[in-house]
Amino acid sequence: MKAIVQHAYGDADVLRLQEIARPTPRANDVLVRVHAASINHGDWFTTTGRPYITRAALGLRRPRVAVRGRDLAGRVEAVGAAVTRFRSGDDVYSETTAGSFAEYACVPERLLARKPANLSFEQAAAVPVAGVTALRALRDVALVQPGQAVLINGASGGVGTFAVQIARTLGADVTGVCSTRNVELVRSLGADHVIDYTREDFAGSGQRYDVIVDLAGRHPLAAYRRALTRTGTLVLASGHGGPFIGPLGRYLRALALSPFVPQRLRVHAAKPSHTDLVALTALIEAQAVTPAIETTYPMADIVKAIRHLAEQHARSKIVIAVRDSHAATTTEGDRSE
């Protein structure tokens, strides 16, 4: 099968489209024929191996998992002997740790969910990592309640576009922070208020919020605290930092300070979850949440796609169309017979 593989850390040029062996499902695995995948900021961190501290988990000299990508949507090709919830032909979506920029991927049954009936494969592939991150940040970490004032800093990004919509479903009054070119996008997602950060700093406006979800990571903790109510909650779900520890120092400062102040300062990193995908499916099929996609690239253009994410401040989600490579493989096979 064709897959995007990486054998060394570096910029996007280290990614290669190669032929590798198709995976074989174990007893509790489902083999998915991937139709689409999507890019997350974590894919850039894995490609570059920065911040360096992440290599302790990813692999010291090169990634332990060679195939890139985490989000996928596709059709079940085969199931392991112990799988009970899925069968060949089912349309599914999921996050996977085994790599999704490939024509086939093995996914543990416990992580898979049925694809929302009203989404294409490309739309569904945009959901798992970003959607689950947003859902858990708001529902489980911030404990958002109806009527609360919620600010999403980084509202036009992959996670942010889901966070704006999910906060609305929880009954919040939502303010989205983004750049000028994304104001209309964020407003179209249902934000009650939109702040253009090139013209106004939310931290200095005097407005107070019950919850701030930070997906941009460019303000100091003191600035966020000034923008919170006395007992408000700050959720740090992204950030910037140096090449060695990245945002870790900032996270540790927030966790160390939190017990000594009335505000709740929390750090959030979502994990793959079948249960949360099912909850998102319900919201999507009720048309309360819709994935926002900026552009779609063929798998062969993965270098361009990753650079777009890293260099052009991509808004919403970037999707990788994998099914095109299936068609190319079939055509090549037909010609060789």
Side-chain angles (χ1 to χ4, degrees), residues 20-250:
I20 64 172
R22 193 171 85 170
T24 301
R26 294 172 296 185
N28 293 297
D29 287 345
V30 175
L31 179 65
V32 178
R33 181 170 180 168
V34 181
H35 284 237
S38 73
I39 298 177
N40 296 284
H41 281 283
D43 297 313
W44 175 247
F45 299 147
T46 305
T47 300
T48 61
R50 293 188 179 189
Y52 293 119
I53 194 171
T54 61
R55 298 190 187 191
L58 300 174
L60 293 179
R61 295 187 177 182
R62 61 181 179 271
R64 294 189 183 95
V65 178
V67 179
R68 292 281 58 77
R70 297 185 72 91
D71 287 329
L72 65 81
R75 186 160 289 159
V76 173
E77 183 81 3
V79 299
V83 171
T84 59
R85 291 192 294 112
F86 301 98
R87 62 182 181 179
S88 180
D90 287 344
D91 290 344
V92 294
Y93 74 144
S94 180
E95 178 181 351
T96 178
T97 58
S100 63
F101 299 161
E103 292 179 318
Y104 294 89
C106 275
V107 184
E109 179 186 25
R110 62 183 174 82
L111 298 183
L112 274 177
R114 295 187 185 278
K115 180 179 75 66
N118 58 335
L119 294 188
S120 67
F121 286 113
E122 287 78 8
Q123 290 174 307
V127 175
V129 171
V132 168
T133 300
L135 178 67
R136 285 193 168 184
L138 292 159
R139 183 195 63 190
D140 303 336
V141 181
L143 306 175
V144 171
Q145 300 298 311
Q148 286 189 318
V150 174
L151 181 135
I152 310 297
N153 188 29
S156 62
V159 177
T161 51
F162 283 103
V164 168
Q165 297 176 80
I166 292 169
R168 288 282 293 167
T169 71
L170 295 173
D173 183 84
V174 182
T175 298
V177 181
C178 62
S179 65
T180 306
R181 75 185 184 104
N182 295 321
V183 167
E184 290 306 316
L185 167 65
V186 173
R187 187 172 286 122
S188 73
L189 295 172
D192 299 285
H193 320 280
V194 182
I195 296 175
D196 178 353
Y197 69 75
T198 68
R199 300 179 179 180
E200 179 183 358
D201 182 3
F202 72 86
S205 69
Q207 177 68 41
R208 298 291 180 265
Y209 300 93
D210 300 295
V211 172
I212 296 175
V213 177
D214 177 38
L215 303 168
R218 298 190 182 279
H219 285 73
L221 289 176
Y224 288 117
R225 291 190 59 216
R226 286 196 301 271
L228 281 174
T229 59
R230 184 177 180 278
T231 57
T233 298
L234 169 65
V235 181
L236 301 174
S238 184
H240 300 269
F244 292 97
I245 64 172
L248 181 60
R250 185 164 171 267

Side-chain angles (χ1 to χ4, degrees), residues 280-297:
L280 284 168
T281 298
L283 292 174
I284 290 166
E285 292 186 337
Q287 299 184 350
V289 171
T290 302
I293 296 172
E294 179 180 9
T295 188
T296 300
Y297 287 89

